[in-house]
Amino acid sequence: MSAVSASSTTSGSLKLDPVRALQHALYRAAKADPGRRFHALGDKVHRRDVLRRAWVTVRRNNGAPGIDATTLAEVEEYGVDRLLDEVAAELREGCWRPLPARRVFIPKPGSVEQRPLSIPSVRDRIVQAALKIVLEPVFEADMLPCSFGFRPRRGAHDALQVLVDEAWRGRHWVVETDIANCFEAIPHEKLMQSVEERVVDRSVLKLLRAMLRAGVMEDGQVRRPVSGTPQGGVISPLLANVYLHRLDRAWSTREHGVLVRYADDAVVMCASREQAEAALERLRNLLAELGLEPKAAKTRIVHLRVGGEGFDFLGFHHRWVASRPHGNRRPVAFLARWPSARAMQHARDRIRELTDRRRLLRPVKVIVEDVNAFLRGWAAYFRFGNSAHVFDQIGSYARMRIGGFLAKKHRRTRKFGWAVVAFAAQDSLGLITLHGTVVAPRPFRDWRGRPNAGGERRR
């Protein structure tokens, strides 16, 4: 497609979608003037088309009810347009007040730890989504290339590609860290100061303060802490990025190495041990200024070398390895990655859960479909790596569990079940295969296979 036709297509789509046109205009205005502070945003939050888009976002996520126990289905029965009209009126009149979020704890995949999750009511999620639609383009204009988490058109695989590129350039000393309780520890006042660098609309700031002060209900008690943008809120990832942008812009790549941050997970690629130690000290100091600190158990310096240890980041284990000799070709060392031990354990746990004896009354076909659905999602993420051997392990484990399920269902031996899956049944009862789906990463070629525009040497 030519540049002219691509431009006209984009222009046409913006005309057809007024919400996207609004976001595009806000982004361009913020990008054109980095010092601009926006005074008139509140009227855009309660625009009917913005609230409708916010509802679509909330409905797509299909979340649980908040403390008012109102479900998405009940909202649809009540009337979505009716609810949006009420929310718009409350926002317009300045009388909208959020309810405390419902606090639940969910297990972290592959860990005994539990993650606190705060679930706002459906009405409050709609308001948060509408506010995010308006604010995100303003702050996105300022975000730096080192930030990848919860941003439009950027994701985990983009961050992972930077590691491959920088390791190929010779940055073999890695600082890995995780900000301790980041979403719960961000001080409200400092967060609002970060927001006010770009937004001074009083109605919008009032909305944000109300959201932050709404608190959470746990064990029948409402707590209103003075810190935290609780995980589970629609707008929380954006607010965390706005606050951690202070870390990004204070970072010096020339002095301390290449920072790669995905929300509260961070890696710094360095050229020497001295630089890595200086980078870690710089990270600690910058986080302390923000009222945060690195998680001690997940903070360390790793030297990438053949036969050495590796590190985990974004679900993958990364390690410097040498290719196998082939003919007259000399082995080549490179940064390989495959699913981490925690990611593998999560996959096994989920497959075991889906093939548990408590589901014996369900048809085998349903069990296979459930396992396939999980494997497709899991493999779609981890296929962009050196994951062939690991995929074989998970595929074998899935076949073994399906065979065991079949044996229990028909009260036969495990050998019978495994034989049916492996030989007797056509296509292993329909269980998908992960063989041949892996895409190995390449330096300066992004995970989609396109040349990496950032392939020039960083200074």
Side-chain angles (χ1 to χ4, degrees), residues 145-385:
C146 64
S147 171
F148 293 89
F150 307 108
R151 292 184 56 193
R153 297 177 297 278
R154 292 170 76 83
H157 290 101
D158 299 308
L160 294 167
Q161 184 62 45
V162 176
L163 306 189
V164 174
D165 295 347
E166 295 306 323
W168 190 259
R169 289 187 174 108
R171 299 184 190 273
H172 293 170
W173 290 88
V174 181
V175 179
E176 62 166 326
T177 191
D178 183 358
I179 302 173
N181 300 318
C182 177
F183 284 85
E184 301 290 325
I186 295 175
H188 289 172
E189 285 307 312
K190 288 186 176 183
L191 171 59
M192 292 305 299
Q193 289 171 12
S194 297
V195 173
E196 289 167 10
E197 290 180 8
R198 273 300 204 170
V199 177
V200 290
D201 185 305
R202 290 186 178 181
S203 63
V204 169
L205 296 177
K206 181 181 177 182
L207 281 178
L208 282 174
R209 289 188 185 277
M211 291 174 183
L212 293 173
R213 292 172 177 169
V216 295
M217 178 173 285
E218 185 178 346
D219 298 328
Q221 300 291 323
V222 175
R223 295 191 303 106
R224 291 188 170 88
V226 296
S227 65
T229 170
Q231 285 183 282
V234 179
I235 203 170
S236 292
L238 172 61
L239 294 179
N241 270 337
V242 169
Y243 191 59
L244 292 175
H245 177 64
R246 290 188 171 190
L247 166 66
D248 300 341
R249 70 188 182 193
W251 192 260
S252 169
T253 296
R254 180 186 294 274
E255 186 177 357
H256 296 113
V258 176
L259 173 67
V260 180
R261 183 178 64 80
Y262 193 95
D264 55 347
D265 287 341
V267 161
V268 186
M269 305 293 288
C270 302
S272 65
R273 171 180 281 279
E274 292 73 23
Q275 187 180 48
E277 291 173 347
L280 180 54
E281 185 63 23
R282 179 64 171 159
L283 268 177
R284 288 194 174 110
N285 291 337
L286 288 174
L287 290 175
E289 292 173 10
L290 296 176
L292 306 171
E293 62 180 0
K295 187 179 294 184
K298 292 189 176 181
T299 302
R300 61 179 184 145
I301 295 175
V302 176
H303 183 204
L304 297 176
R305 55 188 176 84
V306 176
E309 60 181 335
F311 65 97
D312 292 349
F313 184 59
L314 299 181
F316 282 92
H317 180 73
H318 305 260
R319 187 170 294 192
W320 194 253
V321 301
S323 62
R324 295 177 181 176
H326 182 72
N328 294 326
R329 294 181 183 177
R330 297 176 59 185
V332 177
F334 61 97
L335 185 65
R337 66 172 183 253
W338 53 83
S340 66
R342 178 174 290 188
M344 291 285 287
Q345 188 59 51
H346 168 62
R348 293 190 187 96
D349 290 345
R350 183 58 179 154
I351 294 170
R352 188 184 307 114
E353 181 181 337
L354 293 172
T355 55
D356 191 84
R357 64 168 58 248
R358 289 173 296 181
R359 310 187 79 208
L360 283 176
L361 294 179
R362 302 195 179 193
V364 175
K365 180 181 178 182
V366 172
I367 302 301
V368 171
E369 288 174 352
D370 290 346
V371 172
N372 281 347
F374 168 75
L375 288 178
R376 286 191 186 97
W378 190 84
Y381 179 79
F382 288 108
R383 67 187 291 257
F384 297 100

Side-chain angles (χ1 to χ4, degrees), residues 372 375 379 391-392 395 399 430-437:
N372 281 347
L375 288 178
F391 274 23
D392 286 343
R399 290 192 295 274
L431 188 67
I432 63 172
T433 176
L434 304 182
H435 180 71
T437 62

Side-chain angles (χ1 to χ4, degrees), residues 96-143:
W96 174 80
R97 296 293 182 272
L99 295 172
R102 180 168 65 90
R103 174 59 60 88
V104 297
F105 291 88
I106 59 173
K108 290 185 178 181
S111 171
V112 296
E113 297 181 52
Q114 289 193 314
R115 176 185 290 118
L117 196 65
S118 301
I119 306 175
S121 68
V122 175
R123 292 170 68 101
D124 294 346
R125 294 208 295 272
I126 292 172
V127 176
Q128 288 191 26
L131 195 55
K132 181 186 176 187
I133 287 171
V134 174
L135 292 183
E136 186 171 59
V138 173
F139 291 106
E140 180 63 24
D142 296 332
M143 296 294 173

